[in-house]
Amino acid sequence: MVSPHLPKLLSPTTVGPITLSHRVALAPMTRLRAEADDSPSPMMVEYYRQRASKGGLLITESAHPSTDSRGYLGAPGIFTDKHVAAWAKIADAVHEKGASIFMQIAHDGRQSHVDLSGGHSPVAPSVVPYETTVFTQNGWVPNSPHRALRLEEIPKLVRSFRDAAKRAKDSGVDGVELHNANGYLADTFLQDGTNKRTDAYGGSLENRVRFSLELVEAFASVWGADRVGVRVSPSGRWGAISDSDPETTFGYFAERLSEYGLAYLHVIEPRVMGTETLEEGQVPVASAFLRKKFSGPIIAAGGFNAVDAEAILQRGDADIVAFGRWFASNPDLPERFRMNRPLAAYQREAFWGGDEKGYSDYPAYEQTETV
Ligand SMILES: Cc1cc2nc3c(=O)[nH]c(=O)nc-3n(C[C@H](O)[C@H](O)[C@H](O)COP(=O)(O)O)c2cc1C
């Protein structure tokens, strides 16, 4: 798929044992269209099928490993046999088109509500008051107050991630991605704005990476490290997350992750390349910096178009670029890039929840031409 205008973006690469024929990946996007029991819906099978291309890589929306880790109504789970069967339909549909698919797994931590988490209070490493709105059966409502995890609860939590990774494997996907970004549970352990613990999981850098590394090891014990990816957002503010020294924290985390021989490190870039700018005082820790700390493949994401993507790959700061919103409205995004075709606009109001409209009804380019 070599293209004269995007030679690097449309050239082959590898992720663990998987060969990709281009570097346009689907970024994980929660679209809140799962069934009431958290099983992926037929609509979701169609959505992922449409975005699969020969030799492409898709990363799923985040799936929760237990009821009490759920932060959104309509998000898919990966903790029952029914979930496995439904994810298997997605994996099969994607494989039929010659693509690979990694499942993102996340505990939503303090970004939740008792109505979503089976009556349990949302949990976090520490209590750091935080207000947001979350999507429940009653629409968007204020989140519930969270409580600090007790030390003795952590092993069970890690086991729930390992079980989810096993179920993901049973479903036939190609690997798993730890959602260590955007202020969800693992991220709140890593960053010191939300981790105030004084036990083995808080304080020093070594202690703050402990929870994430235990999750990585749990995933790797099921999959082998070369089919495990980790996503980080060193400059993100989603979930009111913060760190007093992101460069040191994420640099150290990337170095530790580097020891495992992971499939990839997935980095959400500061929005310097898109239309959004950094917030005042925000330290831009990006792929270019983490590249020096992490020896495996890097996936960059966040505000990219084809030209920006080609540029970061040419600079050597990343190996693959994940596209979120543009892939939402252009199911044939890699082909549109290859043919230099115009992109369809996305409908933000259809991002979270709803039916096929604004989700699986975006046509590929050829279909647009013929209607
Ligand atoms: C509707 C929507 C849902 C998202 N859900 C997730 C998610 O489940 N997991 C995650 O890591 N990031 C999630 N993100 C962030 C995207 O993966 C991506 O980092 C972000 O959209 C920036 O990339 P883009 O400019 O290409 O859209 C979501 C973004 C959007 C727009």
Side-chain angles (χ1 to χ4, degrees), residues 36 38 64-75 79 106-124 134-138 141-147 149 153 156-157 185:
D38 299 356
H64 42 279
S66 56
T67 305
D68 59 5
S69 57
R70 181 164 84 146
Y72 296 88
L73 186 73
F79 55 93
H107 186 307
D108 289 339
R110 63 184 195 158
Q111 298 186 48
S112 188
H113 187 279
V114 286
D115 286 354
L116 296 170
S117 51
H120 302 279
S121 292
V123 292
V134 291
F135 190 66
T136 71
Q137 66 271 28
N138 301 317
V141 300
N143 58 329
S144 300
H146 56 278
R147 67 171 180 86
L149 276 164
E153 292 178 282
K156 188 173 165 221
L157 208 49
L185 186 64

mmCIF file of all heavy atoms in Angstrom, residues 36 38 64-75 79 106-124 134-138 141-147 149 153 156-157 185:
data_model
loop_
_atom_site.group_PDB
_atom_site.id
_atom_site.type_symbol
_atom_site.label_atom_id
_atom_site.label_comp_id
_atom_site.label_asym_id
_atom_site.label_seq_id
_atom_site.Cartn_x
_atom_site.Cartn_y
_atom_site.Cartn_z
ATOM 1 N N ALA A 36 -27.802 -4.269 27.047
ATOM 2 C CA ALA A 36 -28.033 -3.964 28.473
ATOM 3 C C ALA A 36 -27.154 -4.805 29.396
ATOM 4 O O ALA A 36 -26.796 -4.370 30.491
ATOM 5 C CB ALA A 36 -29.501 -4.185 28.813
ATOM 6 N N ASP A 38 -24.115 -5.563 28.818
ATOM 7 C CA ASP A 38 -22.733 -5.168 28.467
ATOM 8 C C ASP A 38 -22.121 -6.040 27.357
ATOM 9 O O ASP A 38 -20.904 -5.954 27.108
ATOM 10 C CB ASP A 38 -21.790 -5.176 29.676
ATOM 11 C CG ASP A 38 -22.206 -4.218 30.775
ATOM 12 O OD1 ASP A 38 -23.188 -3.474 30.569
ATOM 13 O OD2 ASP A 38 -21.548 -4.196 31.828
ATOM 14 N N HIS A 64 -14.744 -3.203 30.221
ATOM 15 C CA HIS A 64 -14.487 -3.285 31.667
ATOM 16 C C HIS A 64 -14.424 -4.741 32.121
ATOM 17 O O HIS A 64 -15.173 -5.583 31.646
ATOM 18 C CB HIS A 64 -15.493 -2.472 32.480
ATOM 19 C CG HIS A 64 -16.901 -2.583 32.011
ATOM 20 N ND1 HIS A 64 -17.406 -1.852 30.955
ATOM 21 C CD2 HIS A 64 -17.913 -3.353 32.447
ATOM 22 C CE1 HIS A 64 -18.665 -2.176 30.773
ATOM 23 N NE2 HIS A 64 -19.005 -3.092 31.656
ATOM 24 N N PRO A 65 -13.553 -5.015 33.087
ATOM 25 C CA PRO A 65 -13.328 -6.394 33.527
ATOM 26 C C PRO A 65 -14.298 -6.887 34.600
ATOM 27 O O PRO A 65 -14.184 -8.043 35.015
ATOM 28 C CB PRO A 65 -11.894 -6.350 34.085
ATOM 29 C CG PRO A 65 -11.694 -4.943 34.520
ATOM 30 C CD PRO A 65 -12.543 -4.079 33.632
ATOM 31 N N SER A 66 -15.222 -6.044 35.055
ATOM 32 C CA SER A 66 -16.167 -6.439 36.112
ATOM 33 C C SER A 66 -17.256 -5.380 36.154
ATOM 34 O O SER A 66 -17.067 -4.258 35.656
ATOM 35 C CB SER A 66 -15.453 -6.468 37.467
ATOM 36 O OG SER A 66 -14.866 -5.201 37.710
ATOM 37 N N THR A 67 -18.390 -5.735 36.783
ATOM 38 C CA THR A 67 -19.477 -4.739 36.881
ATOM 39 C C THR A 67 -19.013 -3.512 37.656
ATOM 40 O O THR A 67 -19.299 -2.380 37.282
ATOM 41 C CB THR A 67 -20.698 -5.340 37.618
ATOM 42 O OG1 THR A 67 -21.066 -6.534 36.938
ATOM 43 C CG2 THR A 67 -21.867 -4.379 37.630
ATOM 44 N N ASP A 68 -18.275 -3.752 38.738
ATOM 45 C CA ASP A 68 -17.938 -2.598 39.579
ATOM 46 C C ASP A 68 -16.840 -1.714 38.991
ATOM 47 O O ASP A 68 -16.476 -0.699 39.573
ATOM 48 C CB ASP A 68 -17.614 -3.030 41.024
ATOM 49 C CG ASP A 68 -16.450 -3.998 41.094
ATOM 50 O OD1 ASP A 68 -15.842 -4.264 40.040
ATOM 51 O OD2 ASP A 68 -16.147 -4.485 42.196
ATOM 52 N N SER A 69 -16.352 -2.082 37.811
ATOM 53 C CA SER A 69 -15.355 -1.214 37.152
ATOM 54 C C SER A 69 -15.984 -0.406 36.026
ATOM 55 O O SER A 69 -15.305 0.279 35.281
ATOM 56 C CB SER A 69 -14.212 -2.065 36.596
ATOM 57 O OG SER A 69 -14.687 -3.043 35.690
ATOM 58 N N ARG A 70 -17.305 -0.484 35.902
ATOM 59 C CA ARG A 70 -18.009 0.147 34.779
ATOM 60 C C ARG A 70 -18.230 1.637 35.032
ATOM 61 O O ARG A 70 -18.710 2.021 36.088
ATOM 62 C CB ARG A 70 -19.365 -0.555 34.600
ATOM 63 C CG ARG A 70 -20.183 -0.033 33.477
ATOM 64 C CD ARG A 70 -21.269 -1.023 33.151
ATOM 65 N NE ARG A 70 -22.416 -0.836 34.015
ATOM 66 C CZ ARG A 70 -23.684 -1.031 33.613
ATOM 67 N NH1 ARG A 70 -23.925 -1.424 32.376
ATOM 68 N NH2 ARG A 70 -24.680 -0.854 34.437
ATOM 69 N N GLY A 71 -17.926 2.438 34.069
ATOM 70 C CA GLY A 71 -18.088 3.885 34.217
ATOM 71 C C GLY A 71 -19.085 4.491 33.251
ATOM 72 O O GLY A 71 -19.387 5.676 33.344
ATOM 73 N N TYR A 72 -19.582 3.692 32.316
ATOM 74 C CA TYR A 72 -20.505 4.232 31.305
ATOM 75 C C TYR A 72 -21.581 3.201 30.981
ATOM 76 O O TYR A 72 -21.263 2.035 30.730
ATOM 77 C CB TYR A 72 -19.774 4.535 29.988
ATOM 78 C CG TYR A 72 -18.729 5.598 30.078
ATOM 79 C CD1 TYR A 72 -17.421 5.273 30.431
ATOM 80 C CD2 TYR A 72 -19.035 6.922 29.788
ATOM 81 C CE1 TYR A 72 -16.441 6.252 30.511
ATOM 82 C CE2 TYR A 72 -18.062 7.910 29.866
ATOM 83 C CZ TYR A 72 -16.767 7.567 30.226
ATOM 84 O OH TYR A 72 -15.806 8.535 30.301
ATOM 85 N N LEU A 73 -22.820 3.637 30.950
ATOM 86 C CA LEU A 73 -23.893 2.769 30.486
ATOM 87 C C LEU A 73 -23.730 2.593 28.968
ATOM 88 O O LEU A 73 -23.577 3.583 28.243
ATOM 89 C CB LEU A 73 -25.237 3.441 30.776
ATOM 90 C CG LEU A 73 -26.471 2.610 30.485
ATOM 91 C CD1 LEU A 73 -26.609 1.516 31.540
ATOM 92 C CD2 LEU A 73 -27.720 3.491 30.482
ATOM 93 N N GLY A 74 -23.733 1.353 28.538
ATOM 94 C CA GLY A 74 -23.582 1.116 27.092
ATOM 95 C C GLY A 74 -22.157 0.772 26.702
ATOM 96 O O GLY A 74 -21.887 0.467 25.544
ATOM 97 N N ALA A 75 -21.244 0.804 27.677
ATOM 98 C CA ALA A 75 -19.873 0.356 27.389
ATOM 99 C C ALA A 75 -19.852 -1.175 27.461
ATOM 100 O O ALA A 75 -20.571 -1.768 28.252
ATOM 101 C CB ALA A 75 -18.901 0.946 28.401
ATOM 102 N N PHE A 79 -16.373 -9.897 30.970
ATOM 103 C CA PHE A 79 -16.301 -10.709 32.194
ATOM 104 C C PHE A 79 -17.348 -11.816 32.235
ATOM 105 O O PHE A 79 -17.507 -12.459 33.277
ATOM 106 C CB PHE A 79 -16.376 -9.820 33.450
ATOM 107 C CG PHE A 79 -17.581 -8.914 33.525
ATOM 108 C CD1 PHE A 79 -18.739 -9.320 34.187
ATOM 109 C CD2 PHE A 79 -17.552 -7.661 32.941
ATOM 110 C CE1 PHE A 79 -19.845 -8.483 34.260
ATOM 111 C CE2 PHE A 79 -18.666 -6.811 33.009
ATOM 112 C CZ PHE A 79 -19.810 -7.227 33.673
ATOM 113 N N ALA A 106 -10.176 -1.573 30.632
ATOM 114 C CA ALA A 106 -10.062 -0.468 31.595
ATOM 115 C C ALA A 106 -10.987 -0.653 32.769
ATOM 116 O O ALA A 106 -12.127 -1.083 32.615
ATOM 117 C CB ALA A 106 -10.422 0.853 30.919
ATOM 118 N N HIS A 107 -10.501 -0.298 33.928
ATOM 119 C CA HIS A 107 -11.335 -0.072 35.111
ATOM 120 C C HIS A 107 -11.503 1.440 35.183
ATOM 121 O O HIS A 107 -10.511 2.171 35.187
ATOM 122 C CB HIS A 107 -10.610 -0.612 36.347
ATOM 123 C CG HIS A 107 -11.423 -0.569 37.609
ATOM 124 N ND1 HIS A 107 -12.036 0.571 38.064
ATOM 125 C CD2 HIS A 107 -11.728 -1.540 38.506
ATOM 126 C CE1 HIS A 107 -12.665 0.323 39.200
ATOM 127 N NE2 HIS A 107 -12.501 -0.972 39.487
ATOM 128 N N ASP A 108 -12.772 1.904 35.242
ATOM 129 C CA ASP A 108 -12.986 3.346 35.109
ATOM 130 C C ASP A 108 -12.732 4.131 36.393
ATOM 131 O O ASP A 108 -12.771 5.364 36.395
ATOM 132 C CB ASP A 108 -14.387 3.618 34.552
ATOM 133 C CG ASP A 108 -14.467 3.201 33.085
ATOM 134 O OD1 ASP A 108 -13.395 3.100 32.438
ATOM 135 O OD2 ASP A 108 -15.576 2.950 32.577
ATOM 136 N N GLY A 109 -12.477 3.411 37.486
ATOM 137 C CA GLY A 109 -12.033 4.092 38.714
ATOM 138 C C GLY A 109 -13.048 5.097 39.221
ATOM 139 O O GLY A 109 -14.247 4.799 39.312
ATOM 140 N N ARG A 110 -12.559 6.294 39.506
ATOM 141 C CA ARG A 110 -13.437 7.276 40.149
ATOM 142 C C ARG A 110 -14.391 7.950 39.171
ATOM 143 O O ARG A 110 -15.260 8.729 39.583
ATOM 144 C CB ARG A 110 -12.596 8.315 40.893
ATOM 145 C CG ARG A 110 -11.696 9.145 39.997
ATOM 146 C CD ARG A 110 -10.826 10.077 40.823
ATOM 147 N NE ARG A 110 -10.239 11.112 39.967
ATOM 148 C CZ ARG A 110 -9.792 12.272 40.398
ATOM 149 N NH1 ARG A 110 -9.835 12.549 41.682
ATOM 150 N NH2 ARG A 110 -9.287 13.153 39.563
ATOM 151 N N GLN A 111 -14.245 7.646 37.860
ATOM 152 C CA GLN A 111 -15.159 8.235 36.870
ATOM 153 C C GLN A 111 -16.385 7.323 36.732
ATOM 154 O O GLN A 111 -16.617 6.708 35.690
ATOM 155 C CB GLN A 111 -14.455 8.401 35.531
ATOM 156 C CG GLN A 111 -13.267 9.355 35.613
ATOM 157 C CD GLN A 111 -12.658 9.637 34.246
ATOM 158 O OE1 GLN A 111 -13.355 9.944 33.301
ATOM 159 N NE2 GLN A 111 -11.340 9.547 34.145
ATOM 160 N N SER A 112 -17.164 7.203 37.810
ATOM 161 C CA SER A 112 -18.293 6.279 37.782
ATOM 162 C C SER A 112 -19.391 6.738 38.735
ATOM 163 O O SER A 112 -19.342 7.835 39.301
ATOM 164 C CB SER A 112 -17.816 4.863 38.127
ATOM 165 O OG SER A 112 -18.871 3.940 37.919
ATOM 166 N N HIS A 113 -20.375 5.872 38.873
ATOM 167 C CA HIS A 113 -21.560 6.179 39.667
ATOM 168 C C HIS A 113 -22.087 4.862 40.225
ATOM 169 O O HIS A 113 -21.997 3.836 39.548
ATOM 170 C CB HIS A 113 -22.613 6.829 38.750
ATOM 171 C CG HIS A 113 -23.814 7.336 39.467
ATOM 172 N ND1 HIS A 113 -24.854 6.538 39.845
ATOM 173 C CD2 HIS A 113 -24.134 8.597 39.881
ATOM 174 C CE1 HIS A 113 -25.768 7.267 40.469
ATOM 175 N NE2 HIS A 113 -25.353 8.523 40.497
ATOM 176 N N VAL A 114 -22.667 4.901 41.423
ATOM 177 C CA VAL A 114 -23.160 3.652 42.036
ATOM 178 C C VAL A 114 -24.171 2.933 41.139
ATOM 179 O O VAL A 114 -24.257 1.704 41.157
ATOM 180 C CB VAL A 114 -23.770 3.889 43.440
ATOM 181 C CG1 VAL A 114 -22.687 4.144 44.461
ATOM 182 C CG2 VAL A 114 -24.785 5.019 43.408
ATOM 183 N N ASP A 115 -24.924 3.677 40.341
ATOM 184 C CA ASP A 115 -25.900 3.034 39.447
ATOM 185 C C ASP A 115 -25.209 2.244 38.331
ATOM 186 O O ASP A 115 -25.833 1.388 37.704
ATOM 187 C CB ASP A 115 -26.816 4.081 38.791
ATOM 188 C CG ASP A 115 -27.830 4.633 39.773
ATOM 189 O OD1 ASP A 115 -27.896 4.124 40.906
ATOM 190 O OD2 ASP A 115 -28.546 5.582 39.402
ATOM 191 N N LEU A 116 -23.969 2.561 38.059
ATOM 192 C CA LEU A 116 -23.235 1.870 36.983
ATOM 193 C C LEU A 116 -22.417 0.718 37.539
ATOM 194 O O LEU A 116 -22.168 -0.270 36.855
ATOM 195 C CB LEU A 116 -22.274 2.841 36.282
ATOM 196 C CG LEU A 116 -22.921 4.002 35.555
ATOM 197 C CD1 LEU A 116 -21.855 5.007 35.135
ATOM 198 C CD2 LEU A 116 -23.679 3.496 34.341
ATOM 199 N N SER A 117 -21.964 0.864 38.766
ATOM 200 C CA SER A 117 -20.996 -0.090 39.306
ATOM 201 C C SER A 117 -21.645 -1.071 40.285
ATOM 202 O O SER A 117 -21.030 -1.475 41.269
ATOM 203 C CB SER A 117 -19.839 0.668 39.963
ATOM 204 O OG SER A 117 -20.340 1.626 40.874
ATOM 205 N N GLY A 118 -22.908 -1.404 40.005
ATOM 206 C CA GLY A 118 -23.597 -2.420 40.793
ATOM 207 C C GLY A 118 -23.784 -2.021 42.245
ATOM 208 O O GLY A 118 -23.770 -2.887 43.129
ATOM 209 N N GLY A 119 -23.948 -0.751 42.500
ATOM 210 C CA GLY A 119 -24.190 -0.275 43.860
ATOM 211 C C GLY A 119 -22.920 -0.029 44.657
ATOM 212 O O GLY A 119 -22.966 0.489 45.758
ATOM 213 N N HIS A 120 -21.767 -0.408 44.088
ATOM 214 C CA HIS A 120 -20.495 -0.196 44.800
ATOM 215 C C HIS A 120 -20.005 1.235 44.576
ATOM 216 O O HIS A 120 -20.121 1.762 43.476
ATOM 217 C CB HIS A 120 -19.420 -1.157 44.271
ATOM 218 C CG HIS A 120 -19.806 -2.599 44.398
ATOM 219 N ND1 HIS A 120 -19.670 -3.290 45.573
ATOM 220 C CD2 HIS A 120 -20.326 -3.471 43.498
ATOM 221 C CE1 HIS A 120 -20.089 -4.531 45.395
ATOM 222 N NE2 HIS A 120 -20.499 -4.671 44.146
ATOM 223 N N SER A 121 -19.406 1.806 45.609
ATOM 224 C CA SER A 121 -18.808 3.137 45.430
ATOM 225 C C SER A 121 -17.664 3.038 44.442
ATOM 226 O O SER A 121 -16.889 2.076 44.487
ATOM 227 C CB SER A 121 -18.229 3.652 46.741
ATOM 228 O OG SER A 121 -19.244 3.913 47.635
ATOM 229 N N PRO A 122 -17.521 4.028 43.559
ATOM 230 C CA PRO A 122 -16.337 4.044 42.697
ATOM 231 C C PRO A 122 -15.066 4.037 43.548
ATOM 232 O O PRO A 122 -15.083 4.526 44.680
ATOM 233 C CB PRO A 122 -16.481 5.363 41.931
ATOM 234 C CG PRO A 122 -17.939 5.680 41.996
ATOM 235 C CD PRO A 122 -18.423 5.137 43.305
ATOM 236 N N VAL A 123 -14.010 3.476 43.001
ATOM 237 C CA VAL A 123 -12.765 3.380 43.774
ATOM 238 C C VAL A 123 -11.617 4.105 43.083
ATOM 239 O O VAL A 123 -11.624 4.305 41.867
ATOM 240 C CB VAL A 123 -12.356 1.904 44.027
ATOM 241 C CG1 VAL A 123 -13.345 1.223 44.961
ATOM 242 C CG2 VAL A 123 -12.206 1.139 42.717
ATOM 243 N N ALA A 124 -10.637 4.468 43.889
ATOM 244 C CA ALA A 124 -9.450 5.176 43.405
ATOM 245 C C ALA A 124 -8.321 4.856 44.383
ATOM 246 O O ALA A 124 -8.573 4.318 45.465
ATOM 247 C CB ALA A 124 -9.731 6.673 43.373
ATOM 248 N N VAL A 134 -21.478 11.599 34.612
ATOM 249 C CA VAL A 134 -21.344 10.269 34.008
ATOM 250 C C VAL A 134 -22.692 9.858 33.424
ATOM 251 O O VAL A 134 -23.740 10.337 33.863
ATOM 252 C CB VAL A 134 -20.848 9.211 35.019
ATOM 253 C CG1 VAL A 134 -19.413 9.452 35.405
ATOM 254 C CG2 VAL A 134 -21.718 9.183 36.264
ATOM 255 N N PHE A 135 -22.647 8.951 32.450
ATOM 256 C CA PHE A 135 -23.835 8.563 31.704
ATOM 257 C C PHE A 135 -24.472 7.326 32.337
ATOM 258 O O PHE A 135 -23.864 6.256 32.365
ATOM 259 C CB PHE A 135 -23.443 8.296 30.251
ATOM 260 C CG PHE A 135 -24.608 8.110 29.331
ATOM 261 C CD1 PHE A 135 -25.475 9.153 29.054
ATOM 262 C CD2 PHE A 135 -24.840 6.874 28.739
ATOM 263 C CE1 PHE A 135 -26.551 8.979 28.205
ATOM 264 C CE2 PHE A 135 -25.913 6.689 27.875
ATOM 265 C CZ PHE A 135 -26.776 7.747 27.617
ATOM 266 N N THR A 136 -25.675 7.471 32.887
ATOM 267 C CA THR A 136 -26.382 6.348 33.516
ATOM 268 C C THR A 136 -27.735 6.178 32.825
ATOM 269 O O THR A 136 -28.039 6.903 31.875
ATOM 270 C CB THR A 136 -26.640 6.621 35.014
ATOM 271 O OG1 THR A 136 -27.647 7.641 35.107
ATOM 272 C CG2 THR A 136 -25.393 7.060 35.742
ATOM 273 N N GLN A 137 -28.566 5.283 33.363
ATOM 274 C CA GLN A 137 -29.906 5.104 32.785
ATOM 275 C C GLN A 137 -30.753 6.365 32.949
ATOM 276 O O GLN A 137 -31.767 6.519 32.275
ATOM 277 C CB GLN A 137 -30.620 3.874 33.387
ATOM 278 C CG GLN A 137 -30.960 3.957 34.859
ATOM 279 C CD GLN A 137 -29.804 3.432 35.725
ATOM 280 O OE1 GLN A 137 -28.623 3.487 35.363
ATOM 281 N NE2 GLN A 137 -30.148 2.917 36.896
ATOM 282 N N ASN A 138 -30.320 7.259 33.806
ATOM 283 C CA ASN A 138 -31.037 8.530 33.985
ATOM 284 C C ASN A 138 -30.361 9.680 33.232
ATOM 285 O O ASN A 138 -30.569 10.846 33.547
ATOM 286 C CB ASN A 138 -31.127 8.870 35.478
ATOM 287 C CG ASN A 138 -31.850 7.779 36.252
ATOM 288 O OD1 ASN A 138 -32.876 7.281 35.787
ATOM 289 N ND2 ASN A 138 -31.317 7.375 37.393
ATOM 290 N N VAL A 141 -25.422 12.375 34.814
ATOM 291 C CA VAL A 141 -25.643 12.778 36.208
ATOM 292 C C VAL A 141 -24.275 12.975 36.887
ATOM 293 O O VAL A 141 -23.261 12.449 36.416
ATOM 294 C CB VAL A 141 -26.446 11.701 36.990
ATOM 295 C CG1 VAL A 141 -27.819 11.466 36.364
ATOM 296 C CG2 VAL A 141 -25.669 10.389 37.071
ATOM 297 N N PRO A 142 -24.250 13.701 38.005
ATOM 298 C CA PRO A 142 -22.963 13.858 38.708
ATOM 299 C C PRO A 142 -22.419 12.501 39.167
ATOM 300 O O PRO A 142 -23.200 11.626 39.554
ATOM 301 C CB PRO A 142 -23.323 14.725 39.927
ATOM 302 C CG PRO A 142 -24.617 15.374 39.572
ATOM 303 C CD PRO A 142 -25.342 14.455 38.638
ATOM 304 N N ASN A 143 -21.108 12.344 39.092
ATOM 305 C CA ASN A 143 -20.488 11.079 39.545
ATOM 306 C C ASN A 143 -20.707 10.885 41.049
ATOM 307 O O ASN A 143 -20.977 11.852 41.768
ATOM 308 C CB ASN A 143 -18.988 11.069 39.207
ATOM 309 C CG ASN A 143 -18.229 12.228 39.825
ATOM 310 O OD1 ASN A 143 -18.775 13.309 40.002
ATOM 311 N ND2 ASN A 143 -16.991 12.014 40.160
ATOM 312 N N SER A 144 -20.574 9.633 41.511
ATOM 313 C CA SER A 144 -20.694 9.356 42.955
ATOM 314 C C SER A 144 -19.350 9.618 43.624
ATOM 315 O O SER A 144 -18.294 9.443 42.995
ATOM 316 C CB SER A 144 -21.041 7.888 43.187
ATOM 317 O OG SER A 144 -22.249 7.546 42.573
ATOM 318 N N PRO A 145 -19.368 9.976 44.906
ATOM 319 C CA PRO A 145 -18.093 10.111 45.629
ATOM 320 C C PRO A 145 -17.348 8.771 45.621
ATOM 321 O O PRO A 145 -17.989 7.720 45.686
ATOM 322 C CB PRO A 145 -18.515 10.465 47.055
ATOM 323 C CG PRO A 145 -19.957 10.853 46.976
ATOM 324 C CD PRO A 145 -20.537 10.224 45.750
ATOM 325 N N HIS A 146 -16.039 8.821 45.519
ATOM 326 C CA HIS A 146 -15.263 7.575 45.479
ATOM 327 C C HIS A 146 -14.620 7.308 46.838
ATOM 328 O O HIS A 146 -14.566 8.184 47.698
ATOM 329 C CB HIS A 146 -14.197 7.621 44.379
ATOM 330 C CG HIS A 146 -13.259 8.788 44.491
ATOM 331 N ND1 HIS A 146 -13.570 10.039 44.020
ATOM 332 C CD2 HIS A 146 -12.012 8.890 45.015
ATOM 333 C CE1 HIS A 146 -12.566 10.857 44.251
ATOM 334 N NE2 HIS A 146 -11.591 10.186 44.856
ATOM 335 N N ARG A 147 -14.123 6.085 47.002
ATOM 336 C CA ARG A 147 -13.405 5.725 48.230
ATOM 337 C C ARG A 147 -12.030 5.189 47.840
ATOM 338 O O ARG A 147 -11.817 4.757 46.696
ATOM 339 C CB ARG A 147 -14.191 4.692 49.035
ATOM 340 C CG ARG A 147 -14.288 3.350 48.358
ATOM 341 C CD ARG A 147 -14.892 2.284 49.267
ATOM 342 N NE ARG A 147 -14.971 1.001 48.548
ATOM 343 C CZ ARG A 147 -13.981 0.116 48.481
ATOM 344 N NH1 ARG A 147 -12.832 0.353 49.084
ATOM 345 N NH2 ARG A 147 -14.112 -1.006 47.804
ATOM 346 N N LEU A 149 -9.068 2.536 47.699
ATOM 347 C CA LEU A 149 -8.925 1.075 47.723
ATOM 348 C C LEU A 149 -8.089 0.650 48.923
ATOM 349 O O LEU A 149 -7.058 1.269 49.226
ATOM 350 C CB LEU A 149 -8.220 0.610 46.454
ATOM 351 C CG LEU A 149 -9.101 0.420 45.226
ATOM 352 C CD1 LEU A 149 -8.244 0.360 43.978
ATOM 353 C CD2 LEU A 149 -9.949 -0.843 45.362
ATOM 354 N N GLU A 153 -7.423 -5.263 48.837
ATOM 355 C CA GLU A 153 -8.331 -5.421 47.698
ATOM 356 C C GLU A 153 -7.566 -5.509 46.377
ATOM 357 O O GLU A 153 -8.116 -5.946 45.360
ATOM 358 C CB GLU A 153 -9.274 -4.217 47.601
ATOM 359 C CG GLU A 153 -10.279 -4.103 48.710
ATOM 360 C CD GLU A 153 -11.128 -2.849 48.521
ATOM 361 O OE1 GLU A 153 -10.640 -1.741 48.837
ATOM 362 O OE2 GLU A 153 -12.265 -2.971 48.054
ATOM 363 N N LYS A 156 -7.131 -8.875 44.220
ATOM 364 C CA LYS A 156 -8.374 -9.318 43.576
ATOM 365 C C LYS A 156 -8.628 -8.501 42.296
ATOM 366 O O LYS A 156 -9.062 -9.017 41.261
ATOM 367 C CB LYS A 156 -9.539 -9.154 44.556
ATOM 368 C CG LYS A 156 -10.810 -9.763 44.044
ATOM 369 C CD LYS A 156 -11.913 -9.746 45.101
ATOM 370 C CE LYS A 156 -13.245 -10.010 44.411
ATOM 371 N NZ LYS A 156 -14.322 -9.182 44.896
ATOM 372 N N LEU A 157 -8.317 -7.240 42.406
ATOM 373 C CA LEU A 157 -8.487 -6.339 41.262
ATOM 374 C C LEU A 157 -7.571 -6.783 40.101
ATOM 375 O O LEU A 157 -7.984 -6.847 38.943
ATOM 376 C CB LEU A 157 -8.093 -4.942 41.733
ATOM 377 C CG LEU A 157 -8.712 -3.730 41.086
ATOM 378 C CD1 LEU A 157 -10.211 -3.851 41.020
ATOM 379 C CD2 LEU A 157 -8.323 -2.500 41.910
ATOM 380 N N LEU A 185 -8.644 4.211 36.339
ATOM 381 C CA LEU A 185 -8.013 3.721 37.580
ATOM 382 C C LEU A 185 -6.476 3.615 37.520
ATOM 383 O O LEU A 185 -5.778 4.122 38.405
ATOM 384 C CB LEU A 185 -8.617 2.369 37.984
ATOM 385 C CG LEU A 185 -8.115 1.867 39.345
ATOM 386 C CD1 LEU A 185 -8.549 2.786 40.477
ATOM 387 C CD2 LEU A 185 -8.607 0.441 39.603
#
